[in-house]
Amino acid sequence: MTDHFSKPPAAGQAKRRPYGLRFISGKYTGGEFSLIPNQEIVVGRANDLQMVLVEDMVSRRHARIFWDSDQIQIEDLGSTNGTFVNGEKIKRALLKEGDRILIGTNILKVVSLDSTPTHGAPQNLESVVARRPPQAQTTIRTMSGSIEEIPLPDLLQLLYTSKKNGVLVIRTEDDVGRIYFRKGQIYHCTINDLEELAPLKGLFRLLTWQKGFFDLEPPDDTKFPNEIDVSVPELLMEGLRQIDEFNALKDQLPDLRSRIRIPDLLLPALRALSPEELDVLQLAHNYGTLESVLNKSLAMDLDTAQLLATLLKKKYLVVVEE
């Protein structure tokens, strides 16, 4: 556990702008809690506190938040499960707009509010519940939210540092991804239950998702062969590197569902291809779309995409015009 201080708002800024805490994950998702200058907020399970969060992972007196002059501060009060700011476990920290706080299974974001908060008695849980959307009031999950509010890499870092167990389920209109955690470590990943998709490849793909909703569901006892055995920080570093390089290739590749094939008259010599290029050429011949080739290839998406770009450029493959 370390002391960590985020850069505070500029001098005088907190006085000029109203700030609050918005629940972006947990059973109070959508609720907002105004911060009032020179008024302390103690967060915990005890029912006489300013912010009451009723769940086992929250201590009776968990954390203290105080807006003093131009600084918003948070202090952990010796909680059992800790307080986290932007994925780092803290004793004390200064907060700025956009910072994310993890308390129990609740993620709160420091936001600038549209109107000046009413000075008076601090809000309690009832006022937070009253401002939640109807769905959030009736659906209670361990941890839930939108990956537009908290990007997946940030969420994985939070789950890692807080040593969470369970299955993180990410849903979009078309796809469902699952990331399996054990004491904060990722050990398996699937997308749409595709058996052909290697866990590591699936995880790197999930990092590209920018829209969708997540739920942290209870642990799954299913035994998986060849578990992922790489730390979350290393996975994120490598995954984001591959995404950057893959994005740089996009203008050299067709749409995922575009059909690709070997031309009727193949002019370049097959003997000039490497074994890896021949494998990708065979996959394109057998399955016919970029998406299928990426799924079937044993290599990572970036490696396969680089080989496909080369084969298209050298006319070993052509895109079928619809």
Side-chain angles (χ1 to χ4, degrees), residues 71-209:
Q71 295 182 337
I72 301 173
Q73 307 175 48
I74 184 168
E75 178 184 8
D76 183 79
L77 299 177
S79 64
T80 301
N81 292 298
T83 301
F84 299 81
V85 175
N86 298 328
E88 184 174 347
K89 193 171 187 179
I90 57 96
K91 291 181 180 178
R92 295 183 303 278
L94 297 180
L95 299 172
K96 65 181 184 301
E97 185 176 355
D99 282 347
R100 298 180 179 91
I101 305 162
L102 175 65
I103 296 177
T105 62
N106 303 278
I107 302 175
L108 301 92
K109 184 177 181 180
V110 181
V111 296
S112 177
L113 301 180
D114 294 333
S115 58
T116 303
T118 302
H119 289 261
Q123 297 164 295
N124 56 24
L125 184 61
E126 292 181 359
S127 63
V128 173
V129 171
R131 296 173 67 175
R132 280 188 282 135
Q135 181 180 3
Q137 294 181 32
T138 57
T139 305
I140 297 178
R141 300 184 176 94
T142 307
M143 180 183 286
S144 61
S146 164
I147 59 174
E148 290 181 90
E149 279 279 11
I150 175 166
L152 198 52
D154 294 354
L155 181 59
L156 298 186
Q157 182 68 26
L158 278 173
L159 297 177
Y160 166 69
T161 53
S162 54
K163 300 185 186 300
K164 290 287 191 289
N165 295 306
V167 183
L168 183 67
V169 182
I170 306 101
R171 295 179 175 87
T172 69
E173 291 183 358
D174 303 313
D175 302 295
V176 178
R178 290 179 171 83
I179 303 174
Y180 295 74
F181 283 85
R182 185 187 298 123
K183 295 182 179 179
Q185 295 289 350
I186 295 172
Y187 66 93
H188 192 66
C189 178
T190 65
I191 296 178
N192 298 333
D193 295 322
L194 290 173
E195 294 182 1
E196 63 201 26
L197 191 63
L200 200 55
K201 184 191 292 189
L203 179 64
F204 290 166
R205 280 195 196 174
L206 282 174
L207 291 176
T208 68
W209 292 13

